[in-house]
Amino acid sequence: MSWHPQYRSSKFRHVFGKPASKENCYDSVPITHSVQDNHFCAVNPYFIAVVTECSCGGAFFVIPLHQTGKLDPHYPKVCGHKGNVLDIKWNPFNDFEIASCSEDTTIKVWDIPKQLLTKNLTACKKELIGHTRRVGLVEWHPTAANILFSSGYDYKVMVWNLDTKESVIMNPVRTIGCHQGVILSMSFNTNGSLLATTCKDRKIRILDPRAGAVLQEANCTGHRANKVLFLGDLNKLLSTGTSRWNNRQLAVWDQDNLSVPLSEVDLDGSSGVLFPFYDVDTNMLYVVGKGDGNIRYYEVSADKPHLSYLTEYRSLTPQKGIGIMPKRGLDVTSCEIFRFYKLITTKGLIEPISMIVPRRSESYQEDIYPPTAGAQPSLTAQEWLRGMNKGPVLVSLRPCSELLSPQPLLPERPPSEPTTPFNQKEKLVVEDGQKPFSRVEEKVPRQAAERRLEEKKTRLTNGFDIECPPPKTENELLQMFYRQQEEIRRLRELLTQREVQAKQLELEVKNSRMNSERF
C-alpha cells in the first residue's frame, strides 16, 4: 500500500513573503551592534523607530514611515539616555508616544512631535526610576491606558502607572520579585489579566500582574525556554528555546498545566534566538531566527498537533532584529496579513517584508480580515488597577469603516441638535462601564441605512462632507482614496450586472419574435 500524506485545508497555505523594492527600504541606517536578544525596532502606522549606535549615551531614530530611501547622516535622534538603549515600544493607544529602557537603569517615555523631529530630542515626557540595574525589556498593557511594565537585570518586574502629573516617577505601583535570574521575555494574554515570563533560571511563569502572585510555573529541564507567547484565546502558551541536544525548538503548553509541554517541534541546530509572533486574527505563528534570514510560519489550532507547518520565507541576508506593523497599518487592498521590518546590520538597511494571501479579487476580503484590536483602550489605568478586565476594543479593517458597536442605533438626531464628535461618543460609551465593542458586526436595517445615505447626500458641499473636513494628512488621503476605489468597484459591478440583464432581455425579445414569425 502506498503512503499518502494528509493535507489540511487552509486559506493560508499559499501565503508568501514579498520583500520591498530597494527604493521602498530604509538605507544607510546605523543599526545598533548590541548583543541583547531584543527586537531593536518598533513600528506603528506613522513611524518606524530603530535603536542606533551613539558615541555618548544611548539613542534611537524615529523615522516617518513614508520617508524611505537613504537616511541623512545628520538625521535627528532621540538621545536622552546616558547608557545604551536596550528596548523600545510604541504606545498601542497613542502613535506619537514611545517608551525606551536603557543600561542607565531608567525608563523614559517620549512625546514625538507631530511636525516631526528637526533636532535631537533630549527632553522626555516622563522618567521612571526604580530599577537598580540595567533595564532590558518594556511592555505596554494591551487594553489599559497608561500602564507600562519593565523588567531589569535586578530580577524584578515593575508595574508603572503613567496617569499622573509627575514628570519623574520613582515608585512603581507593583514590584514583582519572584524571579531568580534575568527575565528574558514578557507576554500578556488577550485582556491583559495574565503575564507570562521566561527567565534564565529555566522556568516559565504565569503571573497575576496586579497581585504579583505566581499562578503557574514550569521547570524546563528538557526544553530551555528563551521567549514565551500567549496564543490568543486558545488557552495555550508557546515558547521558543533549545532542546537538551541544543537544537532550536518550539514548545506548546497548556496554560492551566505547565508540568509538561503538549507538543515539541525541533527546527535546526543554529544558535540564534527564535522570536515568535502570533497573529490572533488568522491563528498564524511566525518564527524569526536572529542571525539567519528565514521566517517560518505555522497555523495554530487547539487540537493536536497544534502547530501545522505552512512554508518558509527564505533570504540570504541575516537579520539583527525585527519589527512588526500593527494590523491597522496593513495594506488590505493587496491582501497583506502581516508585515515585518527586517534589520540588516551588515548593509545598514531596514527591509519591509509583506506576508500576502494570493487572491484574484480586488475587493475587500472579509474572511482574512476579521475585527481586530484598535487604537483605543478599553480600560483606564485606575479601572485596571482596581481589578477590572476587558478585552480589546475591536475595529474593522475595511477602509473608512466605523468601530464595531453592539449597542442599538440611536434615534436620528434632529437638525437643531448640536453634533458630537465621533471619538467623544466612543469615550462616553467606554466610561459608562458597558462593553464597548463586539467581534460580531451589527446588521444595520436597510431602511435606516438608506435614510442615513440620503441625509449624508444633503450635507455634501463642494464634494466634501460638512461634518468631515477634507483630508489633511497622508493617512486621511489614503483612506479617502480607498473609499473612492471601493465605490468605483461597486459601480462597475452594478454596471456589469445591468449590461448582463439588458443582453438577457434583448435575447428573450429576439427569441419571442422568432417564435411568433414561425407560427
Short mmCIF file of all heavy atoms in Angstrom, two decimals, residues 78-80 108-111 120-126:
data_model
loop_
_atom_site.label_atom_id
_atom_site.label_comp_id
_atom_site.label_asym_id
_atom_site.label_seq_id
_atom_site.Cartn_x
_atom_site.Cartn_y
_atom_site.Cartn_z
N VAL A 78 16.55 60.58 19.08
CA VAL A 78 16.01 60.68 20.44
C VAL A 78 17.11 60.17 21.35
O VAL A 78 17.42 58.97 21.36
CB VAL A 78 14.72 59.86 20.60
CG1 VAL A 78 14.18 59.98 22.02
CG2 VAL A 78 13.67 60.29 19.58
N CYS A 79 17.75 61.04 22.09
CA CYS A 79 19.02 60.67 22.75
C CYS A 79 19.13 61.23 24.16
O CYS A 79 20.09 61.92 24.48
CB CYS A 79 20.21 61.12 21.90
SG CYS A 79 20.19 62.87 21.46
N GLY A 80 18.18 60.91 25.02
CA GLY A 80 18.24 61.41 26.38
C GLY A 80 18.81 60.42 27.38
O GLY A 80 19.03 60.78 28.54
N LYS A 108 12.23 55.79 30.01
CA LYS A 108 11.77 57.12 29.62
C LYS A 108 10.61 56.98 28.63
O LYS A 108 10.61 56.09 27.78
CB LYS A 108 12.90 57.94 28.98
CG LYS A 108 14.04 58.30 29.94
CD LYS A 108 15.12 59.10 29.25
CE LYS A 108 16.33 59.33 30.14
NZ LYS A 108 16.08 60.32 31.20
N VAL A 109 9.65 57.87 28.76
CA VAL A 109 8.50 57.95 27.86
C VAL A 109 8.62 59.26 27.10
O VAL A 109 8.77 60.33 27.70
CB VAL A 109 7.17 57.87 28.63
CG1 VAL A 109 5.99 57.96 27.67
CG2 VAL A 109 7.10 56.59 29.45
N TRP A 110 8.54 59.16 25.77
CA TRP A 110 8.79 60.31 24.90
C TRP A 110 7.53 60.68 24.12
O TRP A 110 6.80 59.81 23.65
CB TRP A 110 9.91 60.00 23.90
CG TRP A 110 11.14 59.45 24.50
CD1 TRP A 110 11.41 58.15 24.81
CD2 TRP A 110 12.32 60.18 24.88
NE1 TRP A 110 12.65 58.01 25.36
CE2 TRP A 110 13.25 59.25 25.41
CE3 TRP A 110 12.68 61.53 24.83
CZ2 TRP A 110 14.50 59.63 25.88
CZ3 TRP A 110 13.93 61.90 25.29
CH2 TRP A 110 14.82 60.95 25.80
N ASP A 111 7.32 61.99 23.95
CA ASP A 111 6.29 62.51 23.05
C ASP A 111 6.98 62.92 21.75
O ASP A 111 7.84 63.82 21.75
CB ASP A 111 5.60 63.72 23.68
CG ASP A 111 4.28 63.34 24.32
OD1 ASP A 111 3.76 62.25 24.02
OD2 ASP A 111 3.76 64.14 25.13
N ASN A 120 17.79 66.99 17.67
CA ASN A 120 17.82 65.90 18.64
C ASN A 120 16.85 66.16 19.78
O ASN A 120 16.78 67.27 20.33
CB ASN A 120 19.24 65.73 19.20
CG ASN A 120 20.18 65.11 18.19
OD1 ASN A 120 19.76 64.64 17.14
ND2 ASN A 120 21.46 65.10 18.50
N LEU A 121 16.09 65.11 20.14
CA LEU A 121 15.13 65.21 21.23
C LEU A 121 15.79 64.66 22.50
O LEU A 121 16.16 63.48 22.56
CB LEU A 121 13.87 64.42 20.89
CG LEU A 121 12.75 64.41 21.94
CD1 LEU A 121 12.23 65.82 22.18
CD2 LEU A 121 11.60 63.50 21.50
N THR A 122 15.96 65.50 23.50
CA THR A 122 16.62 65.09 24.74
C THR A 122 15.70 65.19 25.95
O THR A 122 16.00 64.62 26.99
CB THR A 122 17.86 65.96 25.00
OG1 THR A 122 17.47 67.34 25.02
CG2 THR A 122 18.91 65.75 23.90
N ALA A 123 14.60 65.92 25.83
CA ALA A 123 13.67 66.10 26.96
C ALA A 123 12.53 65.09 26.84
O ALA A 123 11.77 65.11 25.87
CB ALA A 123 13.12 67.52 26.97
N CYS A 124 12.42 64.22 27.83
CA CYS A 124 11.38 63.19 27.79
C CYS A 124 10.12 63.70 28.50
O CYS A 124 10.15 64.66 29.27
CB CYS A 124 11.87 61.90 28.44
SG CYS A 124 12.27 62.05 30.20
N LYS A 125 9.03 63.00 28.25
CA LYS A 125 7.75 63.34 28.88
C LYS A 125 7.72 62.86 30.33
O LYS A 125 7.31 63.59 31.22
CB LYS A 125 6.61 62.71 28.08
CG LYS A 125 5.23 62.91 28.68
CD LYS A 125 4.18 62.19 27.84
CE LYS A 125 2.79 62.36 28.44
NZ LYS A 125 1.77 61.61 27.65
N LYS A 126 8.17 61.61 30.55
CA LYS A 126 8.22 61.05 31.89
C LYS A 126 9.47 60.19 32.02
O LYS A 126 9.91 59.56 31.05
CB LYS A 126 6.98 60.20 32.19
CG LYS A 126 5.70 61.01 32.36
CD LYS A 126 4.55 60.14 32.80
CE LYS A 126 3.26 60.96 32.90
NZ LYS A 126 3.31 61.99 33.92
#
